[in-house]
Amino acid sequence: MSEQKTVYLADYRPYSHVVESVDLTFRLHPTATRVVARLSLRQNPARKDRDHLRLDGEGLKLISCKLDGQAITPAVDERSLTIAAHELPDGPFILETEVEIAPEANTALEGLYMSKGMYCTQCEAEGFRKITYYPDRPDVMSRFKVRIESDLPVLLSNGNPVASGEGWAEWDDPWPKPAYLFALVAGDLRAHSASFVTASGRPVDLNIWVRPGDEDRCAYAMDSLIRSMRWDEQVYGREYDLDVFNIVAVDDFNMGAMENKGLNIFNSRYVLASPETATDDDYYRIEAIIAHEYFHNWTGNRITCRDWFQLCLKEGLTVFRDHQFSADMRSAAVRRIEDVVTLRSRQFREDDGPLAHPVRPESFVEINNFYTATVYEKGAEVIGMLKSLVGDAGYKRALDLYFERHDGDAATIEDWLKVFEDATGRDLSQFKLWYSEAGTPRLKVEETWDNGVYTLTFTQKNPPTPGQPIKHPKVIPIKVGLLNPNGDEVVPTITLEMTRAKQSFRFEGLAARPVPSILRGFSAPVVLDRKAPPEERAFLLAHDTDAFNKWEAGRALAKEVMADIALKGAPVSPAWLDALAAVTFDDTLDPAFRALCLRLPGEDDIAQTIHAMGRIPDPAKIHAARREMTGALAIRLGEGLSRLYKDLDDNAPFSPSAAQAGRRALKIAALGLLSRRDGGKLAASAFARARSMTEEVGALSALLEVGQGQAELVSFAARWGRDANVMDKWHALQIAHAEPAEAAAVAARLIGAPGFDWKNPNRFRTVIGALAANHAGFHHRSGAGYRLVADWLLKLDPLNPQTAARVSTAFETWPRYDAARRKLARTELERILAAPDLSGDLREMAERMLAAG
Ligand code: BES
Ligand code: ZN
């Protein structure tokens, strides 16, 4: 609402004061909570000047202010409380403020708010300033003591419990922390408890707190937590450091989860699971997010960020760690493929459009808008590249040094790279470009075969991005293996280190011209531009020993086929059909891998590919092409599909294991194709017999895709109508499978239905996100998709700007399309910008997106 200023990395200065300790007292009340904050302060010796004291504060009603016990009247405006330098004592002093806030009226879900009768907080990135006056920046770390007064039975905060009685509880966190890691929860909650003993013998009480009735759906989250704690000890040598670890599930939450010290707060959809309510994908996500937030205890909390420009220091690293964990818990190959699919569909998309920015941005308006795929996913890929370059042993030495040198610090990317330099003796100045330059490099490959010498020549192009016209060559680790024409590997994986714009690598002593397997494991986040005949792709799909590149060969082939159909009306390639049939029926391959091969590239992905070819994507044609390929595949796979389905349709008791999930995924892929042949008969019976949510959703999805499933939708709603997180699937499915011309109308009907709680971020994201993800529906030439999304962004923005701004990225690809669509999209973005009282969050996004076209 108030106009925002741009913040620059280059302007960083340490804070004027040190906060030795903080004592907070909360007298909870829905409309009039009192917060008393007692800060022990002294001047920061790192600052030579003698500055005033400026505390952040937003939406606070100041009741009183005392300096060393004397009432004073500080200068207060909409964003801060300031005490002039000459009014401050020379030595240490105590500042005590009392403010009043109204958690019940807090719809933005930042700061202290209420969700279904329960109090909870979300302070990252700048929410603590909505609770009390404080230097709300991550480099100000302090010891927090908290007293909560409330009649609610469960009162939680960070650290260890120290004392409690009727209507109150006190907590003490011995670890200095920035305010963004503060948390408080109060409610009528039940615990699912367990205990853990750390490697050095420290006992820890573990609790997952949920609303009464949900206790029996916490077992998987608890199991994931225990495995995460053990894994971090075994792989990184990191132990937990408090007597208790609490997790709370809340229904109203802007993000997935939050790593507050000793008191993680989770969106309930990433905690609660039972076979009847959670899909295999839900199980996977719960495990990964529990791990992610737990891992932050060391990468984020013990070592935090100096300022928000360094966000990737904690997020990129923690995503990298949770990927490693998932790879160890499940199939590493399947996880890598899935992670790359996500990287391309979210981060490459972002990097290729108006919102492109470096992994470490140099300026921002609203920090909440920089929790992006680039900071997270590309931030994790950059660490993966570092690890490839320095090797596993080098990585381990560097991380040990990082924890040793920076424990207790608020650190920077420079600090992070320095430990790698010191631990390995490498110069990382060129590597650092990955942090400062945006855009996805494109890698071209040429090969020559000459008298037994095989040469690969790579050329890298680093495209311009908004605000960064000039780019420099990056360090690119390219993992390569070579196969001979029989399909045997003649050169096992090696890492080529590319540092120049154009560079050649020679291989000698080969008996025959090899087939190269390039960028194994997706060793760098680049687009590999390499023309290859379909036969070579099919050959690699059949023979590559690198699971990622095996899959990638089929993926590249499918993309080419889809683009050819959409652009030239080409027929479905028999080479692709044959290659896929061979994989589908190869029982020696992991079912999960086969299921991944059967999942065709998404329509947005093809639009991105076509755009990169310098052509204009037509969403309707891409949609038709994908359908045509699925239809042709169903015919090509023929009777074998029924056999495959029967083989996989066993009666084993349910387990969320990756192995069983893989079988279910392949079974459902087969069911989807079979439905094209039998009009949904088998899917209808599969729905009726479903023994897990994965099967239920899989069957319903197969039915909707062939225009059936109306009765099943009704019975699903009758069964799950009271579980909003389950009903999200019901809403999403209908929009995902709607015909392009109908999608906006379907979404409008669902979001506008009486009783639909669109103010809840999960509900809003489900419906508007599903419409945005229906590529042909969102980009329908009528403009109905664009209009509906803009209408609802404008409706949500005054209540919850953070979620409105995040969902607005639906529009980030608009410059790709034809003039008529661009005009429609521009009209909607301009309409958003013209709204009175538009939030700073949504304004920044709309302005950046519009600047592109
Ligand atoms: N620190 C974030 C949560 C967060 C993000 C708070 C943005 C405030 C603003 C947390 O660790 C996180 O990254 N959560 C992710 C899930 C994770 C598995 C990538 C999320 O919430 O999406
Ligand atoms: Zn995180």
Side-chain angles (χ1 to χ4, degrees), residues 166-410:
E166 237 350 78
W168 62 276
E170 290 177 358
W171 292 79
D172 182 358
D173 185 354
W175 299 102
K177 66 169 175 289
Y180 82 85
L181 291 172
F182 167 82
L184 174 152
V185 167
D188 179 15
L189 300 170
R190 301 287 183 278
H192 174 108
S193 305
S195 53
F196 183 85
V197 180
T198 69
S200 66
R202 166 201 268 280
V204 185
D205 290 336
L206 311 177
N207 304 294
I208 298 181
W209 298 92
V210 294
R211 287 194 283 131
D214 286 340
E215 306 90 302
D216 56 348
R217 286 198 288 159
C218 299
Y220 192 72
M222 181 60 88
D223 180 56
S224 302
L225 174 62
I226 291 170
R227 283 183 284 119
S228 305
M229 294 177 84
R230 203 55 84 201
W231 186 90
D232 213 16
E233 293 181 345
Q234 288 168 350
V235 179
Y236 280 83
R238 298 294 118 202
E239 272 187 40
Y240 187 61
D241 53 9
L242 289 166
D243 304 338
V244 296
F245 187 76
N246 286 311
I247 289 176
V248 179
V250 298
D251 290 328
D252 298 272
F253 200 72
N254 281 335
M255 302 292 293
M258 176 65 208
E259 71 265 26
N260 318 297
K261 183 80 186 188
L263 178 52
N264 288 1
I265 298 183
F266 271 64
N267 189 320
S268 57
R269 71 171 292 207
Y270 296 122
V271 173
L272 305 175
S274 66
E276 306 78 57
T277 59
T279 61
D280 290 321
D281 193 53
D282 292 330
Y283 276 101
Y284 152 69
R285 265 175 230 285
I286 289 169
E287 178 182 272
I289 300 183
I290 292 267
H292 178 97
E293 305 311 336
Y294 174 73
F295 295 157
H296 269 314
N297 191 55
W298 275 93
T299 51
N301 301 3
R302 290 286 286 260
I303 304 179
T304 194
C305 304
R306 187 193 73 175
D307 53 66
W308 291 120
F309 295 102
Q310 321 296 330
L311 183 58
C312 63
L313 181 78
K314 75 176 178 82
E315 294 302 347
L317 177 54
T318 305
V319 170
F320 181 71
R321 275 150 52 72
D322 82 54
H323 285 178
Q324 286 183 302
F325 170 77
S326 294
D328 284 356
M329 294 296 124
R330 294 164 175 257
S331 150
V334 169
R335 284 315 323 150
R336 186 61 187 148
I337 295 165
E338 293 271 19
D339 290 341
V340 173
V341 169
T342 314
L343 180 79
R344 285 179 173 153
S345 73
R346 300 187 49 218
Q347 200 278 325
F348 282 21
R349 162 180 155 122
E350 182 169 81
D351 235 357
D352 190 35
L355 300 178
H357 58 274
V359 171
R360 184 175 69 175
E362 266 145 43
S363 70
F364 62 74
V365 174
E366 172 53 61
I367 183 56
N368 282 332
N369 288 337
F370 279 89
Y371 286 75
T372 60
T374 296
V375 170
Y376 275 66
E377 263 101 317
K378 189 174 178 182
E381 290 301 318
V382 169
I383 295 176
M385 286 191 286
L386 255 182
K387 185 163 181 277
S388 299
L389 292 171
V390 305
D392 291 356
Y395 179 78
K396 188 172 184 319
R397 267 184 280 126
L399 267 284
D400 287 344
L401 182 58
Y402 180 61
F403 293 120
E404 184 191 312
R405 188 182 283 177
H406 292 293
D407 188 10
D409 288 354

